[in-house]
Amino acid sequence: MAVELQHYRGQVSILTRSELFFDLLFGSYMRDYPKRSAGRIKGERKFDPDRQWVFLGSKTSMISVATKSTLYAVLSDPAVDTTYFTPNGYFHRKTRLTESLRWLNAFVFDLDVHGESVPDVLDRCDRAGLPRPTAIVKTPSGGYHVHFFFRDPIRATKKTVRLYTAIMGHIANDLEADLAAVGANRIFRTPTEESLVYFQPVNRYSFDMFKEWREINHPFEPSSGRIVNLHTENLMDHPAVQRLLTMPCSYGQRDIVAFNLALAMKASGWTQQEAEAALRHWYDRYCAKGAPAGKKPFSQRDAVYKAQYVYRNSRLQAPKAEMIRTLSGMEFSYSARIRGESAKPRSERERSHLCEWGEDLLSLLHAEKELSGTQQELAERMKCPIASFKLVLRQLKDAGKIIVESRKGRGGVTIIRLPEEPELPAAKDELQYEKTSVQKTHVETLVVIHADFRQRKVMRIDRIHRCEQLQLPDPDPPD
């Protein structure tokens, strides 16, 4: 299937099936080609609240693009690694975090069951009461990535992301898909002409349809399950957690089940040694051994590591009720959250927080007005590690709380002082308003993709430090 599209400088180009896949996925919230850079240099660039960045690359290194022509150029260049991509869009070009999501464009599920055909995948969707998918991409291991495109992208607010993840968990469970691949921030295989084995552009659905599917197939009835009070009861005694602890655990679920069991043990007040022993027993009796072809085996050491990771991370206190319901297939909820312990006094801790070092430095500056010496000498004077001292310097300098001057060469020193107090404004009848042009120096590190959009070829990818003089407009007069 192909379609004509107006391309760079008015030229007409034919989209391949894989390019049409991305054109349909990212829709109107991705421009066809970049705007001319001249306008940006003059300061005419405006904030676009709907623009989305998507990432492509390997699991360890990804690049971001924001226009379809650049996306197609990157996909067409064999020298650029485009093994994986993000189906959802971000508002930031540098960070691929859940908190940076702007648009939710689709549901994607990872089916690791090998030996099935496309009709078998469609039968799975029918049995789960789901509509036919928009696209199915075959993976090198023999599995499939099943895509359900949204008719209109959904703004990725915190509440919507939580709902998206919950619905995705229910669908993945009914499809018997990989639960470890559930989440709005996951990456999936980039489709090619060979791997895109099923593509029906007319199969796009509203997000509300999937909400209705969950209400019909997975209604939440708190009265049907006992609610645990974490302050007075043991979470491990709940039937849903007990079922998770004693039911056979198959491939694709071992990692996430071990993690949630460790969370439940921690929330129930178990010691780390008790949790490690319980996970060893769980692995020996109920956990599937080995791994499918091409996959890394899940060992007893991996199960024990889950407990070690959970217990040393103070932010992890209890499992998500939605995840326990999804994994066990039973109703589960709890009425209160675990409260974290209060922080120890600084005198009882081996290490100090960066904010505390910053307060120490500011107090010293208020007393002595100015500090000078090498950074190593100043750090030793404050009894602060040199790495932490440099980080504190950078944070306070960026916040405008201190002024730092460095004199290099033999005998070079670092001078630190407080900024001067701003002068008080003159009397009201003496004020004179004078409009002046303001220049602002903006420095940042950018990944710049140089592409020939007509030939769909990436010329080069630069990582540069950009420093521009931006001419800002005159400020508006006060109301």
Side-chain angles (χ1 to χ4, degrees):
M1 182 179 298
V3 65
E4 291 189 355
L5 178 72
Q6 285 294 115
H7 249 304
Y8 195 57
R9 294 183 179 177
Q11 293 192 358
V12 178
S13 178
I14 304 298
L15 291 181
T16 63
R17 291 177 72 246
S18 59
E19 291 172 343
L20 182 58
F21 172 96
F22 287 107
D23 181 73
L24 194 69
L25 176 62
F26 299 128
S28 59
Y29 293 134
M30 178 175 280
R31 290 196 295 262
D32 289 339
Y33 53 85
K35 292 184 178 180
R36 297 181 63 87
S37 60
R40 295 200 296 267
I41 295 176
K42 293 179 181 178
E44 298 176 0
R45 183 178 181 180
K46 296 182 179 179
F47 174 73
D48 187 353
D50 295 333
R51 187 183 195 183
Q52 62 177 331
W53 293 88
V54 296
F55 291 79
L56 301 98
S58 63
K59 290 184 178 180
T60 57
S61 178
M62 306 193 86
I63 59 175
S64 56
V65 298
T67 60
K68 295 175 185 176
S69 52
T70 305
L71 173 63
Y72 302 153
V74 170
L75 291 172
S76 302
D77 194 328
V80 182
D81 188 347
T82 57
T83 306
Y84 298 94
F85 82 105
T86 56
N88 296 323
Y90 301 77
F91 65 76
H92 204 293
R93 68 182 301 175
K94 297 179 182 179
T95 55
R96 188 179 63 83
L97 302 173
T98 302
E99 295 77 11
S100 304
L101 283 166
R102 171 165 280 170
W103 293 110
L104 303 174
N105 300 308
F107 280 126
V108 187
F109 303 96
D110 182 12
L111 297 181
D112 287 329
V113 181
H114 308 291
E116 289 191 347
S117 61
V118 172
D120 294 329
V121 176
L122 298 178
D123 288 341
R124 282 175 178 258
C125 298
D126 294 340
R127 291 194 301 270
L130 292 166
R132 291 298 174 94
T134 312
I136 300 176
V137 178
K138 190 169 185 179
T139 63
S141 63
Y144 296 95
H145 288 173
V146 184
H147 299 70
F148 294 89
F149 287 10
F150 297 153
R151 186 178 298 115
D152 297 307
I154 307 302
R155 181 72 72 169
T157 62
K158 290 183 179 181
K159 183 177 180 180
T160 304
V161 170
R162 289 197 300 269
L163 178 61
Y164 173 96
T165 306
I167 296 175
M168 190 177 183
H170 286 302
I171 297 177
N173 189 64
D174 287 7
L175 289 177
E176 298 181 6
D178 186 3
L179 294 179
V182 171
N185 191 31
R186 300 297 180 180
I187 59 176
F188 296 92
R189 286 278 177 176
T190 303
T192 62
E193 296 301 304
E194 296 76 22
S195 64
L196 188 58
V197 294
Y198 176 92
F199 185 41
Q200 295 294 329
V202 296
N203 294 349
R204 292 193 295 167
Y205 311 98
S206 67
F207 185 63
D208 290 338
M209 191 218 70
F210 293 99
K211 291 166 60 177
E212 294 174 358
W213 176 90
R214 188 187 73 153
E215 293 172 0
I216 295 172
N217 294 275
H218 297 274
F220 178 55
E221 300 175 359
S223 59
S224 63
R226 185 170 64 88
I227 299 178
V228 177
N229 188 327
L230 290 183
H231 296 292
T232 60
E233 299 181 69
N234 191 333
L235 200 66
M236 294 299 298
D237 291 339
H238 194 282
V241 181
Q242 280 296 312
R243 184 169 189 266
L244 202 60
L245 185 63
T246 57
M247 65 185 292
C249 187
S250 59
Y251 300 135
Q253 291 190 338
R254 298 171 294 182
D255 187 271
I256 194 168
V257 169
F259 177 72
N260 281 274
L261 284 174
L263 285 171
M265 295 170 187
K266 183 178 180 180
S268 301
W270 290 24
T271 65
Q272 181 175 337
Q273 291 73 23
E274 291 173 337
E276 292 178 4
L279 286 175
R280 289 192 188 96
H281 178 75
W282 167 79
Y283 177 83
D284 292 337
R285 295 198 58 180
Y286 304 107
C287 194
K289 308 302 187 294
K295 297 290 185 178
K296 181 181 177 181
F298 184 83
S299 63
Q300 185 185 83
R301 182 179 179 182
D302 295 325
V304 173
Y305 174 77
K306 294 300 176 185
Q308 297 171 351
Y309 174 77
V310 166
Y311 274 81
R312 72 168 178 259
N313 194 329
S314 60
R315 295 184 178 182
L316 300 175
Q317 295 292 342
K320 293 183 178 179
E322 182 71 28
M323 185 58 67
I324 298 295
R325 290 195 292 267
T326 300
L327 293 174
S328 66
M330 299 177 62
E331 289 301 329
F332 173 82
S333 59
Y334 50 83
S335 61
R337 294 189 178 186
I338 292 290
R339 290 192 178 94
E341 298 180 356
S342 59
K344 293 182 179 179
R346 189 177 183 184
S347 59
E348 299 179 10
R349 289 186 270 118
E350 295 181 2
R351 297 180 176 85
S352 298
H353 300 295
L354 290 178
C355 60
E356 294 171 336
W357 291 122
E359 292 173 359
D360 292 346
L361 180 57
L362 292 175
S363 298
L364 192 58
L365 282 172
H366 281 294
E368 301 189 11
K369 306 303 180 184
E370 182 177 291
L371 299 175
S372 64
T374 65
Q375 292 189 7
Q376 184 66 45
E377 293 172 348
L378 296 174
E380 292 176 355
R381 181 179 176 184
M382 294 179 55
K383 299 180 180 180
C384 174
I386 183 63
S388 299
F389 180 77
K390 291 181 178 179
L391 185 57
V392 167
L393 275 186
R394 184 165 65 249
Q395 290 179 348
L396 293 178
K397 181 181 177 181
D398 293 342
K401 295 182 178 180
I402 62 173
I403 297 175
V404 181
E405 296 180 0
S406 297
R407 299 176 183 174
K408 299 182 179 180
R410 183 174 297 179
V413 295
T414 297
I415 300 174
I416 309 171
R417 64 176 184 272
L418 295 171
E420 297 180 359
E421 294 291 336
E423 296 182 2
L424 295 176
K428 188 173 182 180
D429 55 351
E430 297 178 1
L431 288 178
Q432 295 181 356
Y433 295 95
E434 180 181 357
K435 290 186 177 181
T436 58
S437 60
V438 181
Q439 285 190 341
K440 180 180 178 182
T441 303
H442 182 65
V443 181
E444 62 177 344
T445 301
L446 298 177
V447 177
V448 180
I449 302 175
H450 301 271
D452 187 332
F453 305 117
R454 288 171 292 185
Q455 298 183 6
R456 298 184 188 175
K457 180 179 179 182
V458 176
M459 309 305 295
R460 68 180 188 276
I461 300 177
D462 295 336
R463 288 173 171 81
I464 62 174
H465 294 282
R466 188 179 69 175
C467 180
E468 300 180 21
Q469 295 292 332
L470 302 181
Q471 188 75 24
L472 301 182
D474 293 334
D476 294 331
D479 294 334

